[in-house]
Amino acid sequence: MTLPSKKPNWRRRSTAPASAHVSAADPAPSPERGSVVQASLYRDGRKVSSPGTLAETFRQLRDEPDGMAWIGLHRPSEAELLSLAAEFDLHELAVEDAMEAHQRPKLERYGDTLFVVLRAARYLDAQEEVDFGELHVFLGTDFLITVRHGAAPDLSAVRRRMEETPELLALGPEAVLYAILDAVVDGYAPVVTGVQNDIDEIETEVFRGDPEVSRRIYELSREMVEFQRATRPLVGMLHNLMAGFAKYGTDEELQRHLRDVADHVTHTSERVDGFRQALTEILTVNATLVTQQQNAEMRALAEAGFEQNEEIKKISSWAAILFAPTLVGTIYGMNFDHMPELHWVYGYPFAILLMAAVCTSLYFIFKRRDWL
């Protein structure tokens, strides 16, 4: 990973206007204060100065032949990136990527400059979701520029760590790149833990029959797709860096550190693949349980409808039976002088027998048809 040694007669291009104010402490500046988080000059692993502007940083670096500049930016403007591109001879394609962001993790070499894109992640406990950030790193023989889009990662902690270990910082920009890679990969661990907890909760909700669980599975699956896009390319990037150890004479200590980072990335990538598979299986189980529940509800409705129909048939049968004597009684209850059998001495018993015969006939008819 180590870049070729500096050329004694190396010269930068003329400096473009750069007046962005540098804050030496704030890790996430507001838009009103500009995009430069911190710019520092180091020599032999120790901080020499913290210039107040980009222009001052450029000037001091020219006056310090053995120095290294570390410039951190957060959502920089186009003018600031063009100023850095003019000063450090950055390739226009890399600068364009840094301006637009939304890049996949990758590693590109443009002459003596290495351009690295990383996707950082952090787990938000309150929202129970994963927040992704994007980090672009320009690495040269005596400078390192970080362009951050998003809240993650916290590079102020990386800077403090490196400044507290000057023997590591003295190894140059490649050591800083290792520390950034290590911070990004370490930031994946809380995300993995949070996602594992979410999956455990989702499994409980699935078997509890929570109606909102399908939406949560879908949202977490989308986050795992993004997480996979962040971790999977990083495995290949680190292997490409390790493949260049011999070619670029990388320090042995850095080699060990990078191999450790590569192991962690591989482990994280495998966990993310496992999460996606688990979520797919959970979604299948949930769909099966929902289908079973719907079938059970439909069966219960059908049984209730059948029982209701049986009750209706019984009620209708008894209504028909009771309607027969009512009809006979209604006819003979009319007050007319001239009606058949009205003055017949056997008229009343005949009417009663007629009612009983009709009701009995209807009863046996309905009984034979299983209505009663």
Side-chain angles (χ1 to χ4, degrees), residues 195 308 339 347:
V195 171
Q308 186 177 20
M339 287 185 64

Side-chain angles (χ1 to χ4, degrees), residues 198-238:
D198 286 345
I199 292 177
D200 293 341
E201 292 176 1
I202 286 174
E203 288 178 340
T204 303
E205 292 172 359
V206 164
F207 291 101
R208 189 185 298 162
D210 191 329
E212 297 295 327
V213 71
S214 296
R215 180 183 182 88
R216 189 176 181 187
I217 294 173
Y218 174 72
E219 291 175 349
L220 188 57
S221 296
R222 290 185 59 185
E223 291 177 352
M224 289 305 95
V225 171
E226 290 295 319
F227 202 7
Q228 197 173 49
R229 290 174 180 172
T231 57
R232 181 172 291 178
L234 194 54
V235 175
M237 289 169 53
L238 287 171

Side-chain angles (χ1 to χ4, degrees), residues 132-145:
F132 294 94
E134 189 168 331
L135 178 65
H136 298 186
V137 182
F138 294 91
L139 186 72
T141 54
D142 61 350
F143 69 89
L144 184 132
I145 303 168

Side-chain angles (χ1 to χ4, degrees), residues 203-318:
E203 288 178 340
T204 303
E205 292 172 359
V206 164
F207 291 101
R208 189 185 298 162
D210 191 329
E212 297 295 327
V213 71
S214 296
R215 180 183 182 88
R216 189 176 181 187
I217 294 173
Y218 174 72
E219 291 175 349
L220 188 57
S221 296
R222 290 185 59 185
E223 291 177 352
M224 289 305 95
V225 171
E226 290 295 319
F227 202 7
Q228 197 173 49
R229 290 174 180 172
T231 57
R232 181 172 291 178
L234 194 54
V235 175
M237 289 169 53
L238 287 171
H239 281 90
N240 289 336
L241 285 174
M242 290 188 293
F245 283 167
K247 180 178 180 180
Y248 297 106
T250 304
D251 182 83
E252 291 185 3
E253 185 66 18
L254 282 182
Q255 292 185 29
R256 286 191 288 269
H257 285 307
L258 282 171
R259 278 192 288 266
D260 181 65
V261 173
D263 290 341
H264 290 171
V265 170
T266 301
H267 176 71
T268 301
S269 181
E270 292 173 350
R271 290 292 302 277
V272 175
D273 292 342
F275 289 155
R276 285 201 64 186
Q277 181 64 31
L279 288 170
T280 301
E281 293 174 354
I282 291 173
L283 189 60
T284 302
V285 171
N286 182 63
T288 302
L289 292 176
V290 170
T291 301
Q292 291 177 349
Q293 182 180 1
Q294 291 175 344
N295 292 338
E297 292 175 353
M298 292 178 64
R299 185 166 54 252
L301 288 174
E303 292 174 355
F306 177 77
E307 293 176 358
Q308 186 177 20
N309 289 336
E310 293 298 314
E311 294 297 326
I312 291 175
K313 287 192 293 184
K314 291 179 181 180
I315 293 172
S316 300
S317 300
W318 285 112

Side-chain angles (χ1 to χ4, degrees), residues 67-139:
M68 179 192 75
W70 182 353
I71 302 173
L73 301 98
H74 181 262
R75 299 187 186 277
S77 65
E78 181 177 350
E80 290 168 333
L81 281 176
L82 291 177
S83 171
L84 290 165
E87 174 65 22
F88 296 110
D89 196 20
L90 305 180
H91 197 278
E92 59 182 4
L93 294 179
V95 175
E96 182 180 350
D97 288 344
M99 287 181 183
E100 295 180 357
H102 304 293
Q103 304 293 319
R104 300 193 69 176
K106 63 179 181 179
L107 183 149
E108 300 284 349
R109 185 177 294 277
Y110 300 98
D112 287 342
T113 303
L114 199 63
F115 177 61
V116 181
V117 178
L118 302 172
R119 293 293 305 277
R122 59 173 182 160
Y123 186 80
L124 305 179
D125 290 318
Q127 296 85 354
E128 291 188 337
E129 62 182 26
V130 183
D131 177 54
F132 294 94
E134 189 168 331
L135 178 65
H136 298 186
V137 182
F138 294 91
L139 186 72

